[in-house]
Every structure is written in C-alpha cells, then in structure tokens.
Amino acid sequence: MKGLFITFEGLDGSGKTTQIKLLHDFLRGEGLDIIVTREPGGTEIGDRIRDILLSKKHAGMNYRTEALLFLASRAELVSKTIIPALEKGRVVICDRFFDSTVAYQGIARGLGEEQILNMSLWATEGLIPDITFLLSVKVSMGDERIKIINRKRDRIEVEKDLFKEKIYQGYLKIAQKNRDRFVILNGGDDIQIVFDKIKDKVLGVLKEKKLL
Ligand code: TYD
C-alpha cells in the first residue's frame, strides 16, 4: 500500500483522542493528506452497528454476537474507507483497530486470542497497521480521567475493574508479540512528552516510506 496506516489503542481514558487530534493537526500542517476514523463506526452501516453495540439496552448481548458485530463494522470501514485511502497514498489514523477486538473480546471476554486474531485478519482482508501506538494507563488512572471530564460511559465501559485489568494485561501481551509495529507509551505522562514520541516515530516512518 502506498499510504501509511496508524492505529491507536488503549483503555478508555488513556488519552487516545487527545493524541490523535494533535497528530492529525501536526501532519496536516506538514501538508499531508490525512483521514481520521474511529471504531466501531466510521461508515453508514458501521455507525448503525455502533449504536447496537454500545446501547445499554443490550446489556445481555452474547459475547460472540458482540465480537462479530465489531468485525462487521470493521470490514465495512476497511473496504469502503481505509483501503481506498491507503491506495491513494493518504495517511489513515484509526482510533482502535483489531488489537481492540483481540484484547477486549479475545483475551478479556475469553473468546480466544488466536481465534479472534484470525477472524479479524479475515475481516480486514489481511490489512495490518504500519504503526500501532499503545497508550498504556493503569485502570485506576483511566477511570479517574473519565470521571474528571464527566463523560457518559458506554455499555462496555461500565464493566468491572477485573475486566479492565485483563484488557490492560492483554494489550501488553499483544504489544510484546508484535514489536515490529507497536510503540508502547506511558499514557500517564505529560501530553506533550507523549506527543513528541509519537511525532518522532511517525516522521521517521514517513521519511522511510518517502511520503515526506
Ligand atoms: P470507542 O468508541 O473507541 O470508545 P472510546 O472512544 O471511549 O475509546 O469504543 C467503544 C467501546 O468498544 C470501548 O469500550 C471499547 C470497545 N471495543 C471493543 O470491545 N472491541 C473492539 O473491537 C472495539 C473497536 C472497541
């Protein structure tokens, strides 16, 4: 693929949104053609799936149904938006991608890490990010930040601490296994310190790929 595909992962409250906005503004300032998408959602069908997934009315959703809906939303986003953009040489930043499904559904829900990874790769037509930033924050810190900004929690966020701890550990495990594309950052550090590391990494890869 001609473009560059960057994903951000982490627990809720890890600072993904802030860092994505900073990166987007910075790259735009460098004159790059860039799009930002989020998961689940990002397409007409994906946004409808997102409503089903996150609605508190669906508290008893079967875990396999949940996993398949995340994958369905992603298949739509990859085929309609991400692959066409990458083929045109654009930079795509995605707020969560299949590492979320592996960590949340595969590891924390216990559906099976390998199984969910294989299904995810099928859903993405084999598309793997070039760079994945993991903003790692302890469960308590993520929760505290969500409380401070007084944001409403979705169905998955209201889960118990044990579930979040499993996601936290799951992410670290996935990152260790995929060192070629993962950059683990301390999401508890100062925003600017975290961003400088992200910027350096992205600039390096853009130059390598001769996109800058
Ligand atoms: P998201 O909208 O990214 O939440 P936030 O903006 O707070 O990070 O994701 C919604 C919820 O869905 C979030 O609790 C994480 C969860 N999720 C999964 O369980 N599996 C997945 O594959 C994805 C993409 C998200």
Side-chain angles (χ1 to χ4, degrees), residues 1 5 39 43 70-87 97-98 116-129:
M1 268 329 151
F5 183 28
E39 284 225 352
T43 60
F70 277 116
L71 298 188
S73 167
R74 183 165 311 123
E76 197 65 17
L77 183 68
V78 166
S79 65
K80 299 268 170 65
T81 309
I82 300 180
I83 291 181
L86 292 173
E87 279 171 347
F97 201 57
F98 63 61
I116 294 291
L117 177 63
N118 289 334
M119 288 164 67
S120 297
L121 288 170
W122 178 79
T124 68
E125 301 172 42
L127 180 70
I128 297 173

Side-chain angles (χ1 to χ4, degrees), residues 9-14 16-17 38-41 50 53-54 66-67 69-71 73-74 95-105 109 116 120 146 151-152 154-159 163 167 171:
E9 296 286 350
L11 283 167
D12 303 303
S14 58
K16 285 185 282 108
T17 314
R38 73 162 179 188
E39 284 225 352
R50 180 184 178 89
L53 273 166
L54 303 185
E66 179 183 279
L69 286 172
F70 277 116
L71 298 188
S73 167
R74 183 165 311 123
D95 187 345
R96 297 191 180 281
F97 201 57
F98 63 61
D99 298 304
S100 280
T101 324
V102 176
Y104 282 70
Q105 281 68 44
R109 295 280 201 225
I116 294 291
S120 297
I146 290 174
R151 213 195 59 195
K152 275 218 174 113
D154 61 54
R155 183 179 62 84
I156 295 172
E157 282 172 359
V158 296
E159 301 266 357
F163 177 68
I167 298 163
Y171 266 138

Side-chain angles (χ1 to χ4, degrees), residues 12-195:
D12 303 303
S14 58
K16 285 185 282 108
T17 314
T18 307
Q19 294 297 338
I20 287 171
K21 188 174 181 323
L22 288 171
L23 183 61
H24 169 265
D25 294 351
F26 172 75
L27 293 177
R28 183 143 286 179
E30 295 287 304
L32 284 157
D33 187 2
I34 164 164
I35 58 165
V36 176
T37 63
R38 73 162 179 188
E39 284 225 352
T43 60
E44 203 181 321
I45 293 173
D47 285 339
R48 295 181 73 177
I49 296 175
R50 180 184 178 89
D51 290 342
I52 299 173
L53 273 166
L54 303 185
S55 165
K56 287 189 191 133
K57 277 192 289 186
H58 303 144
M61 187 185 293
N62 174 273
Y63 291 168
R64 285 168 199 260
T65 309
E66 179 183 279
L68 289 166
L69 286 172
F70 277 116
L71 298 188
S73 167
R74 183 165 311 123
E76 197 65 17
L77 183 68
V78 166
S79 65
K80 299 268 170 65
T81 309
I82 300 180
I83 291 181
L86 292 173
E87 279 171 347
K88 284 189 199 125
R90 304 175 81 180
V91 176
V92 178
I93 302 178
C94 196
D95 187 345
R96 297 191 180 281
F97 201 57
F98 63 61
D99 298 304
S100 280
T101 324
V102 176
Y104 282 70
Q105 281 68 44
I107 298 174
R109 295 280 201 225
L111 293 179
E113 187 181 342
E114 286 302 314
Q115 178 97 320
I116 294 291
L117 177 63
N118 289 334
M119 288 164 67
S120 297
L121 288 170
W122 178 79
T124 68
E125 301 172 42
L127 180 70
I128 297 173
D130 295 298
I131 314 170
T132 302
F133 291 107
L134 172 60
L135 296 179
S136 185
V137 282
K138 290 256 156 58
V139 173
S140 52
M141 180 180 243
D143 281 354
E144 203 47 49
R145 284 183 173 170
I146 290 174
K147 252 185 240 152
I148 291 169
I149 58 172
N150 206 10
R151 213 195 59 195
K152 275 218 174 113
R153 285 160 183 269
D154 61 54
R155 183 179 62 84
I156 295 172
E157 282 172 359
V158 296
E159 301 266 357
K160 304 251 175 330
D161 283 355
L162 182 63
F163 177 68
K164 291 186 204 149
E165 191 57 40
K166 284 188 191 162
I167 298 163
Y168 173 75
Q169 297 298 342
Y171 266 138
L172 292 178
K173 189 173 165 199
I174 297 166
Q176 303 293 350
K177 281 195 190 168
N178 296 279
R179 286 168 187 266
D180 52 328
R181 70 178 164 96
F182 261 91
V183 179
I184 306 178
L185 298 165
N186 179 0
D189 277 349
D190 182 77
I191 291 174
Q192 198 54 46
I193 292 175
V194 176
F195 181 61

